[in-house]
Amino acid sequence: MKSGSRGEWIERSYNPVTKETPERMPFVADAGIQIGPLYTPEDLADFDYARDLGYPGEYPYTRGDRAGMNRTESFVVSAYSGFGEAEACNARFHKLYDMGVEQILVALDLPTQCGYDSDHEMSTGEVGTVGVALDTLADWEALFEGIPLDRIKRVGTLGNSIGPIVLAMFAALGEKRGVAWSDYIVNLQNDPLKEYIARGTQILPPAPAAKLACDAVEWCATHAPNWSPITVCVNHINAGGAGSSMGTAIALGNAVAYIEELLRRGLAIDDIAPLMHMFPDERHDFFVSIANLRALRRVWARLLHDRYGATSHAALALRTTVYGHGQEALQEPLNNIVRIGYGTLAYVLGGASYVYIASYDEAVSTPTESSVRVALRTQQIIANEHGFSATIDPLGGSYYIESLTNRIEADILAGLATVEEAGGALGVIESGLARRIMTTGAVRRQREIDSGDRPWVTVNVHPEVPDVPNTAFRIDPSTNSRQIARTASIRASRDNAAVAAALAEIGRCCAEGGNVMPAVLDAVRAYATVGEIVDVWRNRFGVFTPSTEF
């Protein structure tokens, strides 16, 4: 019986094999980690169970944010959906609810996200095309007609640059229904800082945008502490090229900016941290995805404890929202079902709290009802079949997983140090550093695909031509005119004096540095439009103008 070190095994057994049959690819993860042929106890020489792992639901939360995890309560099965106008989208929401979705996240069209009403010239050609058009509270009422806010687990949206407005829309919707804020849960992304580098729906300069996002969090701390008013996003930063570890570091820099703004207002860390989630992302490497979630929870717990003195479980146990991807391709879109299933499974094995996933035709069009059904059933199969929930953190203790977790934690911390040395979240935006990191990564990824170093079936392995079916979902072309007419009707029938007074109060709060949420909520109640409220912000704070460095 042979033994010895891993190095001896490589020389004795592995190298002779690779001389005859060379390794098929470089085996470098998208996160920049060289993956070895074998992992052994040698990779965990400094491993300490209590320090590095602990138990699920206990510090440092590597193994999960809850003690029972999926054995006692599954991850929240979620859907991200929105298209056209409110009435048509409402029908889709009802079908999702009937199929068992537990959280509905609303996809907003680009005009709404960028603070323009549907009849604004900047909205031309975009109304309802990549999300639902929502101009006033009347649209939100129609969108959620018949959806029981207090029986579905969570409702929410992204609304990164209009966070106080979408929060007010959900608050006013509950009031109209007679449902107390304590009886339902709203989940927002509300992370404007990542828009400047990763997605592009920014409106205001970064500092006032962050201030408004924090207004929503501060309001929830007092009025709706059960809500989740901010989800700090890695997803788009990674997708833009940063990679999952550096993307996580940049997002943590954004989280630090929000936390420190809220602490400056006199709030306590144990009150505000529970209101924050993160949205990690790794869509290229299965095992790296698992380790990334485990490392992020550990980094968060140590950062909050060591730097800010957080002590409560709710503050230290980071909850994560994830979007199941699988490096989808236009070629043979049905293959994306398999890719997305594996990508989602990785997130579940990594301990994600809230899961929603891409549909297989999302690279082609707005998902069809049938493809959305497949996506939802994929989550439900993972939650209930094949024993994936039978034990907690089933890959914990794997030499490979623990080694990856340690390496990713170190990379995240090194990246966060780079962000903070560059001036933090605002510094990396203004200097263009974040954009340079993402551009470099995007170029590297494309070169790896073009060279075949990163295999992609039907793209560079067994390549096929893109397959865009003629059954792809398309928005009703009359949506634009109907939405414009609906918004005009609301403007004509509402109490315009009340709207004017509420908008003036928003302006006063902006001028004096106060929290805008109460005034925004009054404006929403009076059926002010998204564009009217954002125009007050634009007039006060100006709009974002990229520098040459940016």
Side-chain angles (χ1 to χ4, degrees):
M1 186 178 198
K2 297 176 180 178
S3 58
S5 69
R6 176 177 53 193
E8 291 171 336
W9 169 81
I10 288 175
E11 288 295 324
R12 179 177 66 243
S13 298
Y14 187 72
N15 284 346
V17 170
T18 57
K19 286 178 182 178
E20 297 293 328
T21 308
E23 293 180 328
R24 295 187 297 117
M25 61 192 78
F27 297 108
V28 179
D30 183 70
I33 301 170
Q34 178 71 51
I35 305 301
L38 184 71
Y39 288 78
T40 73
E42 295 174 47
D43 295 286
L44 299 175
D46 297 326
F47 182 79
D48 181 283
Y49 184 89
R51 181 194 66 202
D52 298 327
L53 287 186
Y55 292 99
E58 295 181 5
Y59 189 87
Y61 300 98
T62 311
R63 309 200 69 180
D65 63 293
R66 295 167 289 122
M69 294 300 286
N70 294 331
R71 275 180 68 98
T72 56
E73 185 176 8
S74 175
F75 58 88
V76 176
V77 175
S78 310
Y80 178 54
S81 181
F83 61 88
E85 56 196 318
E87 285 83 356
C89 192
N90 173 258
R92 173 72 63 88
F93 282 9
H94 274 279
K95 289 176 180 176
L96 290 169
Y97 182 73
D98 291 342
M99 286 188 283
V101 74
E102 298 172 317
Q103 174 177 225
I104 294 176
L105 297 172
V106 181
L108 305 173
D109 71 356
L110 285 175
T112 304
Q113 292 183 57
C114 294
Y116 295 112
D117 294 330
S118 297
D119 56 0
H120 194 281
E121 62 181 353
M122 290 293 289
S123 303
T124 304
E126 293 290 344
V127 175
T129 58
V130 296
V132 61
L134 299 172
D135 293 326
T136 70
L137 177 59
D139 292 324
W140 290 79
E141 292 172 309
L143 181 66
F144 282 95
E145 177 65 33
I147 302 295
L149 297 178
D150 53 350
R151 282 166 42 198
I152 193 167
K153 284 188 177 180
R154 305 172 76 85
V155 291
T157 188
L158 276 67
N160 289 291
S161 297
I162 56 171
I165 301 174
V166 292
L167 187 72
M169 291 289 186
F170 279 117
L173 179 64
E175 291 177 334
K176 296 283 285 188
R177 295 275 190 89
V179 180
W181 294 332
S182 58
D183 290 340
Y184 63 107
I185 298 176
V186 174
N187 182 14
L188 301 186
Q189 195 163 105
N190 185 31
D191 176 15
L193 290 177
K194 61 93 177 175
E195 295 295 314
Y196 300 87
I197 60 174
R199 193 159 169 272
T201 69
Q202 68 272 354
I203 301 170
L204 310 173
K211 183 268 181 195
L212 293 174
C214 289
D215 284 356
V217 180
E218 182 182 29
W219 184 87
C220 283
T222 300
H223 300 282
N226 56 311
W227 289 11
S228 303
I230 193 165
T231 302
V232 183
C233 180
V234 182
N235 181 279
H236 296 115
I237 302 173
N238 175 35
S244 58
S245 296
M246 191 64 205
T248 300
I250 293 171
L252 280 168
N254 294 341
V256 166
Y258 300 130
I259 287 170
E260 294 189 350
E261 166 63 21
L262 290 162
L263 293 177
R264 279 193 292 270
R265 300 183 185 195
L267 280 76
I269 189 64
D270 284 314
D271 292 332
I272 58 173
L275 303 178
M276 304 181 75
H277 291 182
M278 284 196 71
F279 185 176
D281 182 61
E282 167 56 61
R283 63 191 67 187
H284 291 270
D285 295 286
F286 184 89
F287 295 103
V288 174
S289 182
I290 296 167
N292 179 271
L293 265 66
R294 300 169 88 249
L296 173 57
R297 283 194 299 270
R298 193 157 74 199
V299 169
W300 176 270
R302 289 173 173 168
L303 177 70
L304 270 286
H305 179 270
D306 297 347
R307 182 180 297 188
Y308 298 110
T311 57
S312 71
H313 167 83
L316 297 172
L318 177 67
R319 291 170 293 171
T320 53
T321 294
V322 297
Y323 191 41
H325 281 285
Q327 199 175 355
E328 301 93 311
L330 283 169
Q331 294 85 341
E332 299 180 3
L334 284 172
N335 297 331
N336 295 329
I337 296 173
V338 179
R339 294 184 173 107
I340 293 164
Y342 285 137
T344 304
L345 176 60
Y347 283 141
V348 172
L349 294 177
S353 312
Y354 313 101
V355 179
Y356 63 110
I357 74 177
S359 297
Y360 70 83
D361 56 354
E362 201 158 312
V364 175
S365 69
T366 297
T368 61
E369 183 181 321
S370 62
S371 67
V372 169
R373 182 185 295 271
V374 171
L376 180 58
R377 296 304 187 216
T378 299
Q379 295 179 71
Q380 292 168 333
I381 288 168
I382 291 173
N384 294 286
E385 298 182 19
H386 299 288
F388 294 130
S389 299
T391 193
I392 302 166
D393 190 29
L395 297 182
S398 155
Y399 303 133
Y400 182 34
I401 288 295
E402 298 305 348
S403 178
L404 277 179
T405 301
N406 291 346
R407 167 65 188 274
I408 290 169
E409 178 187 24
D411 288 351
I412 291 171
L413 291 172
L416 179 58
T418 297
V419 169
E420 296 189 322
E421 287 167 7
L426 298 183
V428 298
I429 292 171
E430 293 164 358
S431 68
L433 174 60
R435 275 293 180 97
R436 290 194 294 274
I437 290 169
M438 292 172 63
T439 300
T440 301
V443 170
R444 172 190 53 78
R445 277 181 183 163
Q446 192 59 51
R447 285 176 175 164
E448 290 174 353
I449 292 168
D450 292 343
S451 68
D453 286 347
R454 178 156 290 273
W456 195 355
V457 175
T458 71
V459 178
N460 61 17
V461 175
H462 309 296
E464 299 285 344
V465 297
D467 177 16
V468 180
N470 59 15
T471 56
F473 185 89
R474 294 291 180 261
I475 304 300
D476 183 344
S478 62
T479 292
N480 184 80
S481 58
R482 286 199 301 271
Q483 182 64 22
I484 289 174
R486 181 182 296 106
T487 301
S489 175
I490 292 295
R491 286 198 186 103
S493 62
R494 68 190 183 183
D495 183 345
N496 281 293
V499 171
L503 294 175
E505 180 62 14
I506 294 173
R508 185 192 68 79
C509 290
C510 290
E512 297 178 2
N515 190 310
V516 303
M517 270 302 305
V520 169
L521 182 52
D522 283 342
V524 165
R525 289 167 175 150
Y527 292 88
T529 69
V530 170
E532 288 167 340
I533 296 171
V534 173
D535 279 345
V536 176
W537 295 349
R538 289 188 180 103
N539 290 336
R540 173 60 191 172
F541 299 118
V543 296
F544 176 66
T545 304
S547 66
T548 55
E549 289 81 6
F550 178 84

